[in-house]
Amino acid sequence: MSGERTRRHVRRLLVGLAGLAVAAALLLAVSAVLQGPVTLYRMLAHGDTTIDDHRLYPFRPLAPSPHPHRFEPAPRADLERLSVAGAGHVDLSRWLEESATIALVVLKDERLLLERYLRGHDATKVSQAFSVSKSVLSMLVGAAIDEGLLRSVNDPVSAYVPELRERGFDRVRLVGLLTMDSGVDYVENDNPLGRHVRFNYTPHLREEILALKVKPGRDPQFTYRSGDSALLALVLERALARAAKGESITRYTQRRLWDPLGMEHPGLWSLWRPEVAAVAGGTGRCCRTRPRTRTALAAPAAPPRRGGRCRWCRRRRRR
């Protein structure tokens, strides 16, 4: 009897495993249809996005500025024990470890007060900037307006991407993409069958962007959407392509931001998908920590002797 009972349990286990295998195969088949085979392969092979994703794909380099700005050291200050409103006294080293921080740079009056690296990171290491790239994209759009490559943030998206006119984008202005209240049918979540994940891994991002549409009776309220930035990057790419210089987004970043801001270290735009995606998804700009700090200070802090300041950035800073 015990032998027969054991065989029944084994059969049930095998049937259960076979059912799971069939379900997994069906899920993969559905994913391959919805996401595309290359996208599915990248999802499975690379897993979640990390700060080291730039190592997986080709890139376009950003060279150090010919007039580098180097932060002068500030007078020494004891920052190991900080008083934080609502949290009392905080031990900085412990907080950095618990928060899995890899780099911390503190400036005071544009002088270097603290620079610390953890978890095998150091001042020479490049890492993915993720959604910080969205802020860089906003600065590039401002620079393009400054040069007349884009007329105004009040222009409709369809003025630059006419293919989207019939998908409702004649009613969406560029400022709606900048402020993420466009009403685009893009949901930001980690659903493996969803559009957001597909945008992160697809080799056909332009086609995906051109498949976006505006929801009927769109709600003008803010909703965080990487899709808005993706479309804005395509607008910028189109504007640059129509200009006499025909620059790529990488070259434009070099000319309008990297050089005038005095970036002392190199950087790159990751190209695991068309360049527009590297900016759009907010994952593509990769650099060391100090250039990010320099970007945060933005163009108003650029020494006047280099010129090339971005008037758009000054207006944004004053607001």
Side-chain angles (χ1 to χ4, degrees), residues 174-228:
L174 299 187
V175 68
L177 301 180
L178 286 162
T179 57
M180 293 189 178
D181 58 4
S182 64
V184 173
D185 64 337
Y186 187 101
V187 178
E188 187 103 2
N189 60 34
D190 293 327
N191 176 5
L193 301 180
R195 174 171 274 155
H196 180 61
V197 171
R198 188 161 68 249
F199 266 49
N200 271 300
Y201 293 98
T202 180
H204 307 294
L205 189 74
R206 288 180 180 84
E207 292 82 351
E208 293 286 350
I209 294 172
L210 294 175
L212 293 171
K213 61 183 179 181
V214 180
K215 292 181 289 189
R218 68 185 186 90
D219 186 349
Q221 293 183 353
F222 167 82
T223 303
Y224 190 87
R225 282 181 291 253
S226 294
D228 284 357

Side-chain angles (χ1 to χ4, degrees), residues 38-255:
V38 175
T39 302
L40 178 61
Y41 166 77
R42 290 178 173 179
M43 290 168 57
L44 296 175
H46 304 317
D48 292 340
T49 54
T50 74
I51 60 173
D52 296 319
D53 276 359
H54 62 279
R55 299 176 182 176
L56 301 174
Y57 308 102
F59 59 86
R60 286 180 179 166
L62 291 162
S65 170
H67 305 287
H69 172 87
R70 294 183 174 89
F71 293 113
E72 297 294 329
R76 293 180 62 86
D78 183 9
L79 299 180
E80 281 302 320
R81 191 163 176 79
L82 306 177
S83 179
V84 180
H89 288 90
V90 175
D91 181 86
L92 179 61
S93 297
R94 180 178 177 181
W95 179 82
L96 291 173
E97 287 291 343
E98 291 177 349
S99 61
T101 298
I102 63 167
L104 175 67
V105 173
V106 179
L107 300 179
K108 182 180 181 181
D109 299 325
E110 298 190 31
R111 301 175 73 184
L112 191 61
L113 190 63
L114 176 71
E115 184 173 22
R116 188 173 299 180
Y117 300 93
L118 302 92
R119 299 177 177 271
H121 211 72
D122 60 44
T124 67
K125 294 287 182 66
V126 171
S127 62
Q128 208 82 17
F130 291 106
S131 287
V132 173
S133 299
K134 293 181 172 72
S135 296
V136 175
L137 174 61
S138 174
M139 296 174 71
L140 293 174
V141 167
I145 292 173
D146 200 43
E147 286 190 23
L149 302 177
L150 297 171
R151 289 184 295 273
S152 166
V153 293
N154 293 315
D155 283 350
V157 172
S158 57
Y160 302 95
V161 190
E163 306 97 303
L164 291 176
R165 182 174 290 109
E166 295 183 358
R167 304 183 73 84
F169 284 94
D170 56 333
R171 298 180 283 117
V172 177
R173 298 178 299 162
L174 299 187
V175 68
L177 301 180
L178 286 162
T179 57
M180 293 189 178
D181 58 4
S182 64
V184 173
D185 64 337
Y186 187 101
V187 178
E188 187 103 2
N189 60 34
D190 293 327
N191 176 5
L193 301 180
R195 174 171 274 155
H196 180 61
V197 171
R198 188 161 68 249
F199 266 49
N200 271 300
Y201 293 98
T202 180
H204 307 294
L205 189 74
R206 288 180 180 84
E207 292 82 351
E208 293 286 350
I209 294 172
L210 294 175
L212 293 171
K213 61 183 179 181
V214 180
K215 292 181 289 189
R218 68 185 186 90
D219 186 349
Q221 293 183 353
F222 167 82
T223 303
Y224 190 87
R225 282 181 291 253
S226 294
D228 284 357
S229 298
L231 179 51
L232 187 62
L234 180 60
V235 168
L236 177 61
E237 186 185 58
R238 293 280 181 92
L240 292 174
R242 293 193 309 203
K245 295 181 181 179
E247 293 173 297
S248 67
I249 290 177
T250 304
R251 289 181 64 85
Y252 195 63
T253 303
Q254 183 81 54
R255 179 169 67 85

